[in-house]
Amino acid sequence: MTYEQNARAQAGRLIESGHARILAVESSCDETAIAIVDDGRVERANAIASQIDTHQLYGGVVPEIASRMHVEALDPLLDEALRQADCTMDQVDAVAVTYGPGLVGALLTGVSWAKAFAYACGKPLIAVNHIEGHVSANYVAHPDLTPPFVCLVASGGHSHIVSVEHYGSYTLLGGTTDDAAGEAFDKVARVLDIPYPGGPLLDRLADEGDEHAYHFPTPHTEGAYDFSFSGLKTAVINQAHHLRQSGQEIVARDWAASFRRCVVDILVDKTLLAARDTGADKVAIAGGVAANSLLRSELIRRGEKAGLGVYVPPKRLCTDNAVMIAAAGYYRLMAGEVAELTLNALPALSMFG
């Protein structure tokens, strides 16, 4: 029996039982992660190697360095994940891996490693979209959450409002027409001389500031649920330059707080509008920007005020991790989706259409 035949036979047995222990790999950018999750809901291990200290030297992610560090980190992370889960490789049922979107070299290291692991251990291989992984982090954080619901996915490279109709079934309601929210946070952080990673540090600084000290424009978009942060980012940067050239001092904590409030209001307004218009009774949030303290508190406050169930994952499951990939992988496996060993990295992979 060939590997492919054996993998599909194993997948069939897992589908019939409804149970699967998934080992997942995430390497789409600058975090290397391996996790083990049971049945898409129960976290057994979450091992992560961060590259932040290295990339801080360059003010952002250097793709070639990220790829090489993934290669170095994967085998030790496997050992750590198996130790955390107190299991052996034989007790893993399938292997899930992020194959896009992301940095192509970084993705390739994870995909190549996962294919080798799956082949060597005779396990089914599951291909997972990174954005679907972020949405699926909510299933681990909230075992009671089931589709349908509306989810805001906000990160450094993505800003989407998604209708989650069923496991693995999504409709894009709105998205960014230019910059993503996380990208805007990072670029404005540079204006305030906040080092990489700018977004999380700007969030902490904003906690100390007056969010009404400065006024920034609210961008207009043609689509009711779409976002546009490029013009806002440019307006904020130009206003900062104007103030400095005229000799006026910028109070960094107030500037950060005012900008954060502007972005958060846009994200929450459009997410709740989409939920209202689609008749959804539940909203969730996902992605790196979902770790923003004001965004989390405002979505909970305003969502609950509107009578919605609000689901917010812990901050550790908002940033890149493999737990979310294992959760998404479980539902892909249960749908009968098994990848071939010809699986390749797709840096521009879309979750829609």
Side-chain angles (χ1 to χ4, degrees):
M1 183 180 292
T2 66
Y3 162 77
E4 286 79 6
Q5 292 170 328
N6 180 55
R8 293 196 174 278
Q10 285 192 60
R13 291 191 289 270
L14 293 169
I15 293 168
E16 187 175 354
S17 73
H19 298 290
R21 173 168 287 181
I22 307 294
L23 182 145
V25 183
E26 158 60 30
S27 67
S28 62
C29 190
D30 62 337
E31 303 285 342
T32 320
I34 292 181
I36 298 173
V37 174
D38 289 347
D39 301 338
R41 299 277 178 166
V42 182
E43 178 183 336
R44 296 298 185 191
N46 182 16
I48 300 177
S50 174
Q51 300 180 12
I52 287 178
D53 290 347
T54 298
H55 295 292
Q56 271 183 334
L57 299 172
Y58 307 97
V61 178
V62 181
E64 178 64 21
I65 293 175
S67 300
R68 291 178 182 274
M69 293 186 73
H70 288 316
V71 173
E72 295 171 358
L74 282 166
D75 285 350
L77 285 176
L78 172 63
D79 294 338
E80 173 61 17
L82 293 172
R83 185 196 66 78
Q84 288 182 19
D86 191 24
C87 74
T88 66
M89 289 187 288
D90 289 340
Q91 293 171 304
V92 170
D93 295 314
V95 182
V97 62
T98 303
Y99 76 116
L103 302 174
V104 63
L107 290 166
L108 279 170
T109 59
V111 169
S112 299
W113 188 95
K115 289 197 294 185
F117 182 91
Y119 181 79
C121 298
K123 309 291 184 182
L125 178 68
I126 311 159
V128 175
N129 183 298
H130 178 78
I131 305 304
E132 182 176 16
H134 276 302
V135 174
S136 302
N138 283 284
Y139 299 138
V140 177
H142 305 286
D144 61 321
L145 176 62
T146 57
F149 58 93
V150 166
C151 187
L152 168 67
V153 185
S155 67
H158 308 277
S159 292
H160 301 313
I161 298 177
V162 180
S163 174
V164 183
E165 289 138 6
H166 191 64
Y167 299 111
S169 178
Y170 310 95
T171 298
L172 178 64
L173 301 177
T176 183
T177 59
D178 38 60
D179 289 355
E183 183 181 0
F185 273 120
D186 288 340
K187 289 181 177 177
V188 169
R190 291 182 186 177
V191 176
L192 300 177
D193 296 322
I194 297 173
Y196 171 87
L201 297 178
L202 185 146
D203 186 37
R204 292 177 207 166
L205 181 63
D207 287 339
E208 306 169 6
D210 176 5
E211 62 185 24
H212 304 294
Y214 298 96
H215 174 73
F216 301 125
T218 300
H220 171 76
T221 58
E222 293 297 327
Y225 317 128
D226 286 336
F227 305 108
S228 173
F229 293 110
S230 179
L232 171 61
K233 172 202 68 181
T234 301
V236 171
I237 292 172
N238 287 343
Q239 188 173 335
H241 290 163
H242 174 75
L243 290 174
R244 284 171 175 159
Q245 287 169 359
S246 61
Q248 299 181 58
E249 178 187 1
I250 293 175
V251 181
R253 61 180 180 274
D254 293 345
W255 193 268
S258 300
F259 178 71
R260 182 179 67 172
R261 167 56 70 177
C262 184
V263 173
V264 165
D265 282 347
I266 293 168
L267 293 172
V268 173
D269 284 349
K270 300 215 169 194
T271 300
L272 296 183
L273 178 64
R276 186 198 70 185
D277 290 351
T278 59
D281 62 358
K282 292 175 284 191
V283 293
I285 193 169
V289 177
N292 183 280
S293 57
L294 183 64
L295 178 58
R296 297 164 70 85
S297 63
E298 279 297 283
L299 187 68
I300 292 171
R301 182 184 69 83
R302 294 180 53 190
E304 291 180 347
K305 185 178 180 180
L308 300 170
V310 183
Y311 296 85
V312 176
K315 291 184 180 182
R316 66 182 184 83
L317 294 182
C318 294
T319 52
D320 290 352
N321 64 88
V323 172
M324 66 186 196
I325 303 304
Y330 169 79
Y331 292 105
R332 288 292 172 185
L333 175 64
M334 290 297 119
E337 298 182 23
V338 178
E340 304 289 340
L341 291 178
T342 55
L343 178 69
N344 200 0
L346 297 177
L349 179 68
S350 173
M351 197 169 77
F352 313 102

